Every structure is written in structure tokens, then in C-alpha cells.
């Protein structure tokens, strides 16, 4: 694409905050126990609404062509910290339980996941454990002229997703 002569913009995002409210982690959040092979690592969860706003800006405003916007939230949180924020906002206990990679894959396959899919999910979480997903970027600020939405604000706005 870059060599095609066409205008391009790349949006590269961190973990979505919405993984807790409508994505990968929702069932675990509702069950009260988030079991992942992420150790004590942190991630800079970005709100999907910020990603959408950057996409709109890139498509409708000048100045984004040829840019790569790295998108993250304003701070990195461990999964234990994220769980504590959700617990505090909902009044429901949510515990983060770090599990070894192999044990996690075994749990998923016991639930009926295909082994390759279970391994892929465990591998996707690996960068959190290895400290690779805690980076903070300025893409939201550069693209929109404001700070990204904080995880606390995302949690407050998402309480209804967990009231089931």
C-alpha cells in the first residue's frame, strides 16, 4: 500500500478495553474469575471509541495521510488492577487468576476449544506476561488533540454490560 501512490493511514492499537465488556474476557468477568496466562504484566487498554474517533479523523480530515497512529490508553494496568476497577464499579467480585500457559491451554481444550485455537489465544496473551503491551503512545492525542479515554471512564460507562 505504501508504495502504491495511494494515500494511506495505519491505526495500530493496543488491547481493547471492550474485551472486558463485549469481547474475549466478558464471560470470565461475568463468572467472577478472569483466568489468563498474563502473569503480572500490564497492558495499555485502549477504548474502541477512541480507535473509531481516530479512524473518522483519518478518513475525513487532512494531515493523516502517510501516518501510523499508535493507539493506547493513557496508562498501563495489570489484569488484577483492571479486575479491581471493574469490581469497584459493579460491586461484584472479579478476581484475576494468573495461570501457566500450558494449564490455560489445557483448560480451554477441556472446554472444547480446538488445541490450535487454545494455543493461539494463550500466545496472544503472552506479550502482556512478557511486558511488551504496557507501552503508552501518543496516537490518540496527535490525531484528536485530546488524551485517550482512561480505563476508569470506560468501566463507569460499561457497568450495564456486567449487571447481568
Amino acid at each position: 500500500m505504501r508504495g502504491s501512490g495511494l494515500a494511506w493511514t495505519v491505526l495500530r492499537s493496543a488491547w481493547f478495553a471492550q474485551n472486558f465488556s463485549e469481547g474475549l474476557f466478558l464471560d470470565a468477568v461475568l463468572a467472577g474469575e478472569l483466568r489468563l496466562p498474563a502473569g503480572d504484566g500490564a497492558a495499555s487498554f485502549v477504548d474502541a471509541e477512541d480507535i473509531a474517533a481516530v479512524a473518522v479523523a483519518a478518513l475525513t480530515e487532512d494531515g493523516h495521510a502517510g501516518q501510523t497512529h499508535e493507539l493506547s490508553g493513557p496508562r498501563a494496568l495489570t489484569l488484577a488492577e483492571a479486575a479491581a476497577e471493574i469490581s469497584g464499579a459493579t460491586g461484584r467480585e472479579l478476581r484475576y487468576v494468573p495461570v501457566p500457559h500450558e494449564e490455560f491451554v489445557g483448560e480451554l481444550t477441556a472446554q472444547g476449544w480446538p488445541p490450535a485455537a487454545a494455543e493461539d489465544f494463550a500466545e496472544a496473551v503472552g506479550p502482556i506476561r512478557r511486558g511488551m503491551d504496557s507501552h503508552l503512545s501518543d496516537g490518540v492525542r496527535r490525531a484528536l488533540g485530546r488524551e485517550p479515554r482512561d480505563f476508569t471512564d470506560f468501566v463507569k460507562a460499561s457497568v450495564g454490560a456486567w449487571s447481568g
Side-chain angles (χ1 to χ4, degrees):
M1 189 70 174
R2 289 180 178 169
S4 73
L6 297 173
W8 57 268
T9 305
V10 174
L11 307 185
R12 190 176 303 146
S13 64
W15 282 87
F16 300 164
Q18 280 74 6
N19 285 329
F20 293 94
S21 64
E22 59 190 74
L24 292 171
F25 307 148
L26 177 58
D27 289 342
V29 171
L30 293 175
E33 187 172 84
L34 182 62
R35 299 174 59 82
L36 291 168
D40 294 329
S44 55
F45 298 101
V46 63
D47 192 310
E49 291 183 19
D50 284 341
I51 299 168
V54 172
V56 168
L59 291 168
T60 63
E61 299 172 1
D62 292 333
H64 299 279
Q67 298 288 315
T68 298
H69 293 305
E70 301 280 346
L71 306 175
S72 75
R75 63 189 170 113
L77 293 91
T78 66
L79 290 168
E81 291 168 333
E85 289 214 24
I86 294 168
S87 290
T90 63
R92 297 175 52 177
E93 182 181 1
L94 173 60
R95 294 182 327 118
Y96 165 62
V97 179
V99 294
H101 179 100
E102 298 77 18
E103 183 179 333
F104 181 72
V105 170
E107 288 177 5
L108 292 182
T109 55
Q111 294 170 17
W113 285 54
E119 185 65 38
D120 287 347
F121 188 10
E123 283 298 320
V125 176
I128 297 174
R129 182 181 65 255
R130 294 189 297 273
M132 299 168 62
D133 286 344
S134 62
H135 63 281
L136 302 178
S137 59
D138 66 351
V140 172
R141 185 177 340 102
R142 283 190 308 107
L144 302 177
R146 64 164 175 81
E147 292 301 313
R149 191 160 97 160
D150 190 75
F151 190 80
T152 299
D153 296 323
F154 156 76
V155 168
K156 289 177 185 174
S158 301
V159 167
W162 303 305
S163 62

mmCIF file of all heavy atoms in Angstrom, residues 28-74:
data_model
loop_
_atom_site.group_PDB
_atom_site.id
_atom_site.type_symbol
_atom_site.label_atom_id
_atom_site.label_comp_id
_atom_site.label_asym_id
_atom_site.label_seq_id
_atom_site.Cartn_x
_atom_site.Cartn_y
_atom_site.Cartn_z
ATOM 1 N N ALA A 28 -15.724 -14.498 31.381
ATOM 2 C CA ALA A 28 -14.942 -14.639 32.610
ATOM 3 C C ALA A 28 -15.299 -13.542 33.613
ATOM 4 O O ALA A 28 -15.418 -13.807 34.814
ATOM 5 C CB ALA A 28 -13.450 -14.609 32.293
ATOM 6 N N VAL A 29 -15.480 -12.325 33.121
ATOM 7 C CA VAL A 29 -15.867 -11.220 34.003
ATOM 8 C C VAL A 29 -17.211 -11.540 34.655
ATOM 9 O O VAL A 29 -17.379 -11.380 35.870
ATOM 10 C CB VAL A 29 -15.916 -9.887 33.232
ATOM 11 C CG1 VAL A 29 -16.540 -8.785 34.085
ATOM 12 C CG2 VAL A 29 -14.522 -9.485 32.778
ATOM 13 N N LEU A 30 -18.164 -12.007 33.859
ATOM 14 C CA LEU A 30 -19.486 -12.328 34.404
ATOM 15 C C LEU A 30 -19.424 -13.487 35.391
ATOM 16 O O LEU A 30 -20.200 -13.535 36.340
ATOM 17 C CB LEU A 30 -20.460 -12.642 33.266
ATOM 18 C CG LEU A 30 -20.804 -11.457 32.363
ATOM 19 C CD1 LEU A 30 -21.673 -11.906 31.194
ATOM 20 C CD2 LEU A 30 -21.459 -10.329 33.140
ATOM 21 N N ALA A 31 -18.486 -14.409 35.181
ATOM 22 C CA ALA A 31 -18.329 -15.549 36.092
ATOM 23 C C ALA A 31 -17.574 -15.161 37.363
ATOM 24 O O ALA A 31 -17.570 -15.919 38.337
ATOM 25 C CB ALA A 31 -17.613 -16.693 35.380
ATOM 26 N N GLY A 32 -16.916 -13.993 37.359
ATOM 27 C CA GLY A 32 -16.209 -13.522 38.547
ATOM 28 C C GLY A 32 -14.760 -13.936 38.650
ATOM 29 O O GLY A 32 -14.110 -13.651 39.651
ATOM 30 N N GLU A 33 -14.248 -14.608 37.618
ATOM 31 C CA GLU A 33 -12.850 -15.049 37.679
ATOM 32 C C GLU A 33 -12.235 -14.991 36.290
ATOM 33 O O GLU A 33 -12.657 -15.693 35.372
ATOM 34 C CB GLU A 33 -12.756 -16.463 38.231
ATOM 35 C CG GLU A 33 -11.334 -16.896 38.481
ATOM 36 C CD GLU A 33 -11.263 -18.225 39.211
ATOM 37 O OE1 GLU A 33 -11.341 -19.271 38.525
ATOM 38 O OE2 GLU A 33 -11.130 -18.200 40.444
ATOM 39 N N LEU A 34 -11.238 -14.146 36.154
ATOM 40 C CA LEU A 34 -10.519 -13.964 34.903
ATOM 41 C C LEU A 34 -9.215 -14.746 34.999
ATOM 42 O O LEU A 34 -8.296 -14.348 35.706
ATOM 43 C CB LEU A 34 -10.258 -12.467 34.683
ATOM 44 C CG LEU A 34 -9.548 -12.045 33.415
ATOM 45 C CD1 LEU A 34 -10.374 -12.419 32.180
ATOM 46 C CD2 LEU A 34 -9.309 -10.541 33.436
ATOM 47 N N ARG A 35 -9.175 -15.887 34.311
ATOM 48 C CA ARG A 35 -8.009 -16.766 34.344
ATOM 49 C C ARG A 35 -7.266 -16.624 33.024
ATOM 50 O O ARG A 35 -7.798 -16.980 31.980
ATOM 51 C CB ARG A 35 -8.437 -18.211 34.542
ATOM 52 C CG ARG A 35 -9.190 -18.463 35.834
ATOM 53 C CD ARG A 35 -9.724 -19.880 35.936
ATOM 54 N NE ARG A 35 -8.677 -20.892 35.864
ATOM 55 C CZ ARG A 35 -7.912 -21.281 36.889
ATOM 56 N NH1 ARG A 35 -8.101 -20.742 38.074
ATOM 57 N NH2 ARG A 35 -6.986 -22.196 36.724
ATOM 58 N N LEU A 36 -6.039 -16.109 33.088
ATOM 59 C CA LEU A 36 -5.254 -15.891 31.877
ATOM 60 C C LEU A 36 -3.770 -16.121 32.160
ATOM 61 O O LEU A 36 -3.308 -15.896 33.282
ATOM 62 C CB LEU A 36 -5.443 -14.467 31.352
ATOM 63 C CG LEU A 36 -6.804 -14.123 30.782
ATOM 64 C CD1 LEU A 36 -6.930 -12.621 30.569
ATOM 65 C CD2 LEU A 36 -7.033 -14.869 29.479
ATOM 66 N N PRO A 37 -3.027 -16.493 31.132
ATOM 67 C CA PRO A 37 -1.586 -16.674 31.294
ATOM 68 C C PRO A 37 -0.820 -15.366 31.084
ATOM 69 O O PRO A 37 0.112 -15.292 30.285
ATOM 70 C CB PRO A 37 -1.255 -17.715 30.225
ATOM 71 C CG PRO A 37 -2.214 -17.425 29.120
ATOM 72 C CD PRO A 37 -3.479 -16.991 29.827
ATOM 73 N N ALA A 38 -1.228 -14.320 31.782
ATOM 74 C CA ALA A 38 -0.632 -12.995 31.603
ATOM 75 C C ALA A 38 0.294 -12.608 32.748
ATOM 76 O O ALA A 38 0.861 -11.507 32.716
ATOM 77 C CB ALA A 38 -1.729 -11.948 31.451
ATOM 78 N N GLY A 39 0.439 -13.468 33.734
ATOM 79 C CA GLY A 39 1.312 -13.152 34.856
ATOM 80 C C GLY A 39 0.937 -11.829 35.493
ATOM 81 O O GLY A 39 -0.247 -11.507 35.627
ATOM 82 N N ASP A 40 1.959 -11.074 35.867
ATOM 83 C CA ASP A 40 1.743 -9.765 36.488
ATOM 84 C C ASP A 40 1.969 -8.634 35.489
ATOM 85 O O ASP A 40 2.132 -7.483 35.884
ATOM 86 C CB ASP A 40 2.682 -9.584 37.682
ATOM 87 C CG ASP A 40 2.354 -10.548 38.814
ATOM 88 O OD1 ASP A 40 1.164 -10.899 38.963
ATOM 89 O OD2 ASP A 40 3.283 -10.954 39.532
ATOM 90 N N GLY A 41 1.982 -8.960 34.197
ATOM 91 C CA GLY A 41 2.203 -7.950 33.174
ATOM 92 C C GLY A 41 1.057 -6.968 33.086
ATOM 93 O O GLY A 41 -0.038 -7.200 33.596
ATOM 94 N N ALA A 42 1.315 -5.866 32.424
ATOM 95 C CA ALA A 42 0.321 -4.812 32.265
ATOM 96 C C ALA A 42 0.067 -4.560 30.783
ATOM 97 O O ALA A 42 0.893 -4.883 29.931
ATOM 98 C CB ALA A 42 0.807 -3.525 32.939
ATOM 99 N N ALA A 43 -1.076 -3.967 30.512
ATOM 100 C CA ALA A 43 -1.437 -3.593 29.151
ATOM 101 C C ALA A 43 -2.042 -2.196 29.170
ATOM 102 O O ALA A 43 -2.682 -1.798 30.140
ATOM 103 C CB ALA A 43 -2.432 -4.589 28.558
ATOM 104 N N SER A 44 -1.844 -1.487 28.083
ATOM 105 C CA SER A 44 -2.380 -0.125 27.963
ATOM 106 C C SER A 44 -3.685 -0.179 27.170
ATOM 107 O O SER A 44 -3.746 0.216 26.018
ATOM 108 C CB SER A 44 -1.360 0.784 27.274
ATOM 109 O OG SER A 44 -0.973 0.231 26.023
ATOM 110 N N PHE A 45 -4.722 -0.695 27.813
ATOM 111 C CA PHE A 45 -6.012 -0.915 27.169
ATOM 112 C C PHE A 45 -6.552 0.380 26.555
ATOM 113 O O PHE A 45 -6.655 1.395 27.232
ATOM 114 C CB PHE A 45 -7.028 -1.471 28.180
ATOM 115 C CG PHE A 45 -6.619 -2.793 28.746
ATOM 116 C CD1 PHE A 45 -6.054 -2.882 30.014
ATOM 117 C CD2 PHE A 45 -6.769 -3.957 28.005
ATOM 118 C CE1 PHE A 45 -5.670 -4.099 30.537
ATOM 119 C CE2 PHE A 45 -6.387 -5.186 28.519
ATOM 120 C CZ PHE A 45 -5.831 -5.256 29.793
ATOM 121 N N VAL A 46 -6.901 0.310 25.277
ATOM 122 C CA VAL A 46 -7.425 1.476 24.573
ATOM 123 C C VAL A 46 -8.922 1.285 24.345
ATOM 124 O O VAL A 46 -9.389 0.185 24.061
ATOM 125 C CB VAL A 46 -6.691 1.717 23.239
ATOM 126 C CG1 VAL A 46 -6.872 0.577 22.257
ATOM 127 C CG2 VAL A 46 -7.092 3.035 22.603
ATOM 128 N N ASP A 47 -9.660 2.350 24.503
ATOM 129 C CA ASP A 47 -11.107 2.317 24.293
ATOM 130 C C ASP A 47 -11.382 2.275 22.794
ATOM 131 O O ASP A 47 -10.853 3.092 22.031
ATOM 132 C CB ASP A 47 -11.729 3.563 24.928
ATOM 133 C CG ASP A 47 -13.230 3.478 25.022
ATOM 134 O OD1 ASP A 47 -13.877 3.169 24.007
ATOM 135 O OD2 ASP A 47 -13.753 3.733 26.114
ATOM 136 N N ALA A 48 -12.215 1.350 22.367
ATOM 137 C CA ALA A 48 -12.554 1.233 20.945
ATOM 138 C C ALA A 48 -13.214 2.507 20.418
ATOM 139 O O ALA A 48 -13.117 2.800 19.217
ATOM 140 C CB ALA A 48 -13.455 0.022 20.717
ATOM 141 N N GLU A 49 -13.853 3.276 21.292
ATOM 142 C CA GLU A 49 -14.431 4.549 20.851
ATOM 143 C C GLU A 49 -13.336 5.516 20.428
ATOM 144 O O GLU A 49 -13.522 6.296 19.483
ATOM 145 C CB GLU A 49 -15.311 5.145 21.942
ATOM 146 C CG GLU A 49 -16.587 4.346 22.162
ATOM 147 C CD GLU A 49 -17.510 4.971 23.185
ATOM 148 O OE1 GLU A 49 -17.381 6.179 23.480
ATOM 149 O OE2 GLU A 49 -18.385 4.236 23.682
ATOM 150 N N ASP A 50 -12.178 5.466 21.084
ATOM 151 C CA ASP A 50 -11.043 6.289 20.665
ATOM 152 C C ASP A 50 -10.506 5.814 19.316
ATOM 153 O O ASP A 50 -10.159 6.631 18.456
ATOM 154 C CB ASP A 50 -9.924 6.265 21.709
ATOM 155 C CG ASP A 50 -10.230 7.127 22.921
ATOM 156 O OD1 ASP A 50 -11.107 8.012 22.837
ATOM 157 O OD2 ASP A 50 -9.572 6.917 23.955
ATOM 158 N N ILE A 51 -10.451 4.515 19.127
ATOM 159 C CA ILE A 51 -9.984 3.978 17.840
ATOM 160 C C ILE A 51 -10.921 4.450 16.728
ATOM 161 O O ILE A 51 -10.470 4.914 15.672
ATOM 162 C CB ILE A 51 -9.917 2.442 17.871
ATOM 163 C CG1 ILE A 51 -8.932 1.971 18.937
ATOM 164 C CG2 ILE A 51 -9.523 1.889 16.496
ATOM 165 C CD1 ILE A 51 -9.015 0.480 19.238
ATOM 166 N N ALA A 52 -12.227 4.356 16.964
ATOM 167 C CA ALA A 52 -13.198 4.797 15.966
ATOM 168 C C ALA A 52 -13.066 6.286 15.676
ATOM 169 O O ALA A 52 -13.134 6.706 14.514
ATOM 170 C CB ALA A 52 -14.611 4.465 16.433
ATOM 171 N N ALA A 53 -12.862 7.088 16.703
ATOM 172 C CA ALA A 53 -12.720 8.529 16.503
ATOM 173 C C ALA A 53 -11.472 8.854 15.688
ATOM 174 O O ALA A 53 -11.500 9.740 14.826
ATOM 175 C CB ALA A 53 -12.685 9.250 17.862
ATOM 176 N N VAL A 54 -10.396 8.136 15.927
ATOM 177 C CA VAL A 54 -9.178 8.344 15.137
ATOM 178 C C VAL A 54 -9.416 7.922 13.691
ATOM 179 O O VAL A 54 -8.985 8.598 12.753
ATOM 180 C CB VAL A 54 -7.972 7.611 15.751
ATOM 181 C CG1 VAL A 54 -6.760 7.672 14.827
ATOM 182 C CG2 VAL A 54 -7.618 8.206 17.116
ATOM 183 N N ALA A 55 -10.122 6.816 13.500
ATOM 184 C CA ALA A 55 -10.428 6.364 12.136
ATOM 185 C C ALA A 55 -11.255 7.410 11.395
ATOM 186 O O ALA A 55 -10.972 7.720 10.230
ATOM 187 C CB ALA A 55 -11.154 5.025 12.171
ATOM 188 N N VAL A 56 -12.259 7.965 12.050
ATOM 189 C CA VAL A 56 -13.084 9.003 11.426
ATOM 190 C C VAL A 56 -12.215 10.208 11.061
ATOM 191 O O VAL A 56 -12.310 10.748 9.956
ATOM 192 C CB VAL A 56 -14.262 9.406 12.339
ATOM 193 C CG1 VAL A 56 -14.940 10.679 11.846
ATOM 194 C CG2 VAL A 56 -15.267 8.267 12.434
ATOM 195 N N ALA A 57 -11.365 10.624 11.986
ATOM 196 C CA ALA A 57 -10.484 11.763 11.704
ATOM 197 C C ALA A 57 -9.573 11.467 10.517
ATOM 198 O O ALA A 57 -9.388 12.312 9.630
ATOM 199 C CB ALA A 57 -9.661 12.104 12.950
ATOM 200 N N ALA A 58 -9.025 10.269 10.482
ATOM 201 C CA ALA A 58 -8.112 9.908 9.391
ATOM 202 C C ALA A 58 -8.822 9.893 8.040
ATOM 203 O O ALA A 58 -8.218 10.221 7.016
ATOM 204 C CB ALA A 58 -7.485 8.547 9.667
ATOM 205 N N LEU A 59 -10.095 9.536 8.046
ATOM 206 C CA LEU A 59 -10.862 9.465 6.797
ATOM 207 C C LEU A 59 -11.456 10.808 6.364
ATOM 208 O O LEU A 59 -11.766 10.994 5.187
ATOM 209 C CB LEU A 59 -11.990 8.442 6.938
ATOM 210 C CG LEU A 59 -11.546 6.985 7.024
ATOM 211 C CD1 LEU A 59 -12.710 6.102 7.453
ATOM 212 C CD2 LEU A 59 -10.963 6.520 5.694
ATOM 213 N N THR A 60 -11.615 11.728 7.301
ATOM 214 C CA THR A 60 -12.348 12.954 6.977
ATOM 215 C C THR A 60 -11.545 14.239 7.133
ATOM 216 O O THR A 60 -12.024 15.306 6.747
ATOM 217 C CB THR A 60 -13.615 13.072 7.853
ATOM 218 O OG1 THR A 60 -13.230 13.169 9.232
ATOM 219 C CG2 THR A 60 -14.548 11.884 7.639
ATOM 220 N N GLU A 61 -10.347 14.152 7.689
ATOM 221 C CA GLU A 61 -9.552 15.359 7.929
ATOM 222 C C GLU A 61 -8.209 15.262 7.219
ATOM 223 O O GLU A 61 -7.689 14.173 7.000
ATOM 224 C CB GLU A 61 -9.301 15.535 9.432
ATOM 225 C CG GLU A 61 -10.549 15.696 10.257
ATOM 226 C CD GLU A 61 -10.272 15.679 11.761
ATOM 227 O OE1 GLU A 61 -9.094 15.557 12.166
ATOM 228 O OE2 GLU A 61 -11.242 15.778 12.524
ATOM 229 N N ASP A 62 -7.660 16.395 6.911
ATOM 230 C CA ASP A 62 -6.318 16.444 6.329
ATOM 231 C C ASP A 62 -5.279 16.166 7.405
ATOM 232 O O ASP A 62 -5.542 16.327 8.603
ATOM 233 C CB ASP A 62 -6.060 17.828 5.722
ATOM 234 C CG ASP A 62 -6.920 18.097 4.495
ATOM 235 O OD1 ASP A 62 -7.315 17.119 3.820
ATOM 236 O OD2 ASP A 62 -7.186 19.287 4.227
ATOM 237 N N GLY A 63 -4.106 15.772 6.974
ATOM 238 C CA GLY A 63 -2.983 15.630 7.885
ATOM 239 C C GLY A 63 -2.711 14.229 8.386
ATOM 240 O O GLY A 63 -1.785 14.036 9.171
ATOM 241 N N HIS A 64 -3.480 13.249 7.964
ATOM 242 C CA HIS A 64 -3.279 11.887 8.453
ATOM 243 C C HIS A 64 -2.620 10.980 7.413
ATOM 244 O O HIS A 64 -2.149 9.902 7.765
ATOM 245 C CB HIS A 64 -4.608 11.281 8.912
ATOM 246 C CG HIS A 64 -5.245 12.033 10.034
ATOM 247 N ND1 HIS A 64 -4.865 11.867 11.353
ATOM 248 C CD2 HIS A 64 -6.202 12.992 10.036
ATOM 249 C CE1 HIS A 64 -5.578 12.681 12.112
ATOM 250 N NE2 HIS A 64 -6.407 13.370 11.333
ATOM 251 N N ALA A 65 -2.634 11.398 6.160
ATOM 252 C CA ALA A 65 -2.064 10.561 5.102
ATOM 253 C C ALA A 65 -0.583 10.313 5.377
ATOM 254 O O ALA A 65 0.162 11.210 5.776
ATOM 255 C CB ALA A 65 -2.246 11.234 3.748
ATOM 256 N N GLY A 66 -0.196 9.064 5.218
ATOM 257 C CA GLY A 66 1.194 8.685 5.443
ATOM 258 C C GLY A 66 1.581 8.539 6.903
ATOM 259 O O GLY A 66 2.751 8.380 7.222
ATOM 260 N N GLN A 67 0.606 8.575 7.795
ATOM 261 C CA GLN A 67 0.860 8.486 9.230
ATOM 262 C C GLN A 67 0.537 7.089 9.755
ATOM 263 O O GLN A 67 -0.387 6.434 9.280
ATOM 264 C CB GLN A 67 -0.015 9.492 9.985
ATOM 265 C CG GLN A 67 0.233 10.923 9.640
ATOM 266 C CD GLN A 67 1.550 11.415 10.198
ATOM 267 O OE1 GLN A 67 1.880 11.164 11.351
ATOM 268 N NE2 GLN A 67 2.311 12.097 9.362
ATOM 269 N N THR A 68 1.283 6.667 10.753
ATOM 270 C CA THR A 68 0.936 5.495 11.542
ATOM 271 C C THR A 68 0.581 5.992 12.929
ATOM 272 O O THR A 68 1.411 6.605 13.594
ATOM 273 C CB THR A 68 2.099 4.486 11.617
ATOM 274 O OG1 THR A 68 2.387 4.026 10.297
ATOM 275 C CG2 THR A 68 1.755 3.303 12.512
ATOM 276 N N HIS A 69 -0.656 5.780 13.323
ATOM 277 C CA HIS A 69 -1.117 6.208 14.640
ATOM 278 C C HIS A 69 -1.079 5.000 15.576
ATOM 279 O O HIS A 69 -1.862 4.065 15.432
ATOM 280 C CB HIS A 69 -2.540 6.769 14.582
ATOM 281 C CG HIS A 69 -2.672 8.048 13.821
ATOM 282 N ND1 HIS A 69 -1.933 9.173 14.112
ATOM 283 C CD2 HIS A 69 -3.465 8.394 12.775
ATOM 284 C CE1 HIS A 69 -2.267 10.148 13.285
ATOM 285 N NE2 HIS A 69 -3.195 9.689 12.457
ATOM 286 N N GLU A 70 -0.150 5.013 16.524
ATOM 287 C CA GLU A 70 -0.082 4.009 17.577
ATOM 288 C C GLU A 70 -1.092 4.423 18.637
ATOM 289 O O GLU A 70 -1.014 5.538 19.162
ATOM 290 C CB GLU A 70 1.320 3.952 18.185
ATOM 291 C CG GLU A 70 2.421 3.630 17.209
ATOM 292 C CD GLU A 70 2.533 2.148 16.899
ATOM 293 O OE1 GLU A 70 1.927 1.338 17.635
ATOM 294 O OE2 GLU A 70 3.217 1.810 15.928
ATOM 295 N N LEU A 71 -2.046 3.535 18.955
ATOM 296 C CA LEU A 71 -3.146 3.906 19.843
ATOM 297 C C LEU A 71 -3.107 3.077 21.119
ATOM 298 O O LEU A 71 -3.104 1.848 21.072
ATOM 299 C CB LEU A 71 -4.477 3.694 19.122
ATOM 300 C CG LEU A 71 -4.603 4.385 17.762
ATOM 301 C CD1 LEU A 71 -5.909 4.010 17.095
ATOM 302 C CD2 LEU A 71 -4.444 5.885 17.891
ATOM 303 N N SER A 72 -3.108 3.761 22.240
ATOM 304 C CA SER A 72 -3.149 3.096 23.541
ATOM 305 C C SER A 72 -3.998 3.933 24.478
ATOM 306 O O SER A 72 -4.332 5.071 24.173
ATOM 307 C CB SER A 72 -1.734 2.942 24.126
ATOM 308 O OG SER A 72 -1.253 4.183 24.617
ATOM 309 N N GLY A 73 -4.293 3.350 25.626
ATOM 310 C CA GLY A 73 -4.902 4.125 26.689
ATOM 311 C C GLY A 73 -3.840 4.999 27.326
ATOM 312 O O GLY A 73 -2.661 4.923 26.978
ATOM 313 N N PRO A 74 -4.214 5.827 28.303
ATOM 314 C CA PRO A 74 -3.265 6.750 28.916
ATOM 315 C C PRO A 74 -2.370 6.129 29.990
ATOM 316 O O PRO A 74 -1.434 6.765 30.460
ATOM 317 C CB PRO A 74 -4.153 7.827 29.515
ATOM 318 C CG PRO A 74 -5.417 7.099 29.846
ATOM 319 C CD PRO A 74 -5.584 6.076 28.753
#
